[in-house]
Amino acid sequence: MTPSPLSPAPAVARQDFWLWRLIATGMAFTMFGLGGLLLRLVVFPPQRLIPGNAADRQRRARWALNGTFRFFIRFMVRVGILTVEFKGAERLGKPGQMILANHPSLLDVVFLVGHVKNANCIVKHGLATNPFTRGPISNAGYITNDESFDMFDRAADVLRNGETLIVFPEGTRTPPDRLPQFHRGACAIALRGARVVTPVVIRMNPRSLTKGEPWYRIPPCRMRYVIQVGEDIDPATWSNAHPLPIAGRKMNDYLHAYFEAELTRDASSGIAGPDSTPAAIFPAAKTDNEHA
């Protein structure tokens, strides 16, 4: 019987400079926390003194986050924690576009916000009270997922106003060895406000940084991400044919089938397995049009 691509990988020996990756991962987590505090205390206050309205202030804060996350991605690649291949990133960032992605690891938000300038994002509600993340979330005007009617209205409004919105419809990280299970709320928002929905499939091997997993439990080899931007989807395909509740259910079923098909493809999908020999400690990140 052919093993499922979601089945646990057989145990492999520690490789890719395992001890160095452990040290570098600790450095990366420290950098991320300190970066959030520095943005809140050093970067955002002077930005608020620059003339402009609320939208201008949010745009400047998002610009700072985009640049910070791009630097953070480069750091993780250069020190050998991971590699990333981003296919189709140039098609993200359209007005009124909902970017809808699966959520296998802690770093997914970093990859998308770091590649999409001036994007809004629906984030976990608890991050708005975390001392390391509440400053960036508040200043960037991100929407916190408290599952209230106000949250759905705000998300639909930003799409109607021409913003790009990043959404992880699972609401939390995908459990290991399971397929994503999307809440219908993302489709309800899309049907009410999005001009276009663009699915983004995030594959990683080996799985790591899942929910509840401590940072120091690093995998035996370097993490490899392949992020694939899919073809645009028109929400009107469902909203013009069905009442809103039925349209949301049918759209959600379509997206489930799409992500399941993409994530259960075999190794030809482009996600590489562990190397049999240690790789270089400073691999280059690969994208279609630019380095991460």
Side-chain angles (χ1 to χ4, degrees):
M1 179 182 294
T2 303
S4 165
L6 297 179
S7 300
V12 295
R14 291 175 176 176
Q15 52 187 275
D16 294 345
F17 300 90
W18 183 89
L19 182 58
W20 165 249
R21 286 191 294 109
L22 177 63
I23 295 170
T25 301
M27 293 165 56
F29 270 80
T30 302
M31 179 187 297
F32 188 87
L34 292 177
L37 286 177
L38 287 173
L39 285 170
R40 177 186 172 189
L41 300 175
V42 178
V43 176
F44 295 143
Q47 282 188 344
R48 289 194 291 270
L49 299 177
I50 302 173
N53 57 26
D56 293 328
R57 290 191 292 272
Q58 285 186 357
R59 191 178 302 110
R60 289 191 288 264
R62 292 174 187 176
W63 175 84
L65 280 173
N66 175 266
T68 300
F69 283 175
R70 289 179 71 84
F71 174 82
F72 186 62
I73 294 168
R74 282 195 176 96
F75 172 81
M76 291 187 293
V77 170
R78 296 302 180 189
V79 299
I81 295 173
L82 55 85
T83 64
V84 56
E85 184 179 4
F86 209 129
K87 302 178 180 180
E90 71 282 354
R91 293 190 282 114
L92 300 179
K94 302 172 187 175
Q97 179 185 45
M98 175 186 280
I99 299 171
L100 192 147
N102 61 310
H103 196 7
S105 80
L106 185 64
L107 296 174
D108 307 324
V109 176
V110 174
F111 288 127
L112 291 181
V113 172
H115 277 85
V116 186
K117 294 180 180 179
N118 196 32
N120 206 325
C121 187
I122 297 180
V123 298
K124 186 177 178 182
H125 184 65
L127 295 177
T129 58
N130 185 304
F132 297 105
T133 56
R134 69 184 183 190
I137 288 171
S138 174
N139 284 271
Y142 289 164
I143 300 168
T144 57
N145 184 12
D146 57 6
E147 298 184 346
S148 66
F149 286 111
D150 180 63
M151 185 274 290
F152 287 103
D153 289 338
R154 286 185 61 202
D157 284 344
V158 301
L159 288 166
R160 285 192 290 263
N161 291 335
E163 295 187 36
T164 302
L165 181 65
I166 298 170
V167 180
F168 296 92
E170 296 170 83
T172 188
R173 279 166 270 173
T174 313
D177 311 319
R178 287 178 56 185
L179 291 167
Q181 295 295 316
F182 296 160
H183 298 293
R184 293 183 193 172
C187 291
I189 295 168
L191 291 168
R192 294 168 62 189
R195 301 178 192 176
V196 65
V197 174
T198 305
V200 176
V201 178
I202 302 175
R203 300 180 179 91
M204 68 174 300
N205 184 38
R207 286 293 302 274
S208 186
L209 299 176
T210 55
K211 188 174 179 63
E213 186 175 23
W215 68 265
Y216 51 82
R217 191 177 295 165
I218 67 170
C221 60
R222 185 182 296 111
M223 295 180 291
R224 290 162 171 80
Y225 284 85
V226 176
I227 304 173
Q228 175 72 60
V229 179
E231 297 298 324
D232 291 341
I233 299 168
D234 185 357
T237 303
W238 293 275
S239 61
N240 289 344
H242 307 282
L244 193 59
I246 297 175
R249 184 174 69 249
K250 288 186 175 293
M251 184 178 179
N252 200 53
D253 290 344
Y254 172 86
L255 289 168
H256 265 138
Y258 175 87
F259 276 85
E260 180 174 350
E262 290 294 318
L263 292 169
T264 54
R265 288 193 301 168
D266 60 15
S268 64
S269 62
I271 187 74
D275 292 339
S276 57
T277 57
I281 195 166
F282 299 118
K286 300 179 290 181
T287 65
D288 280 357
N289 60 343
E290 61 183 342
H291 286 284

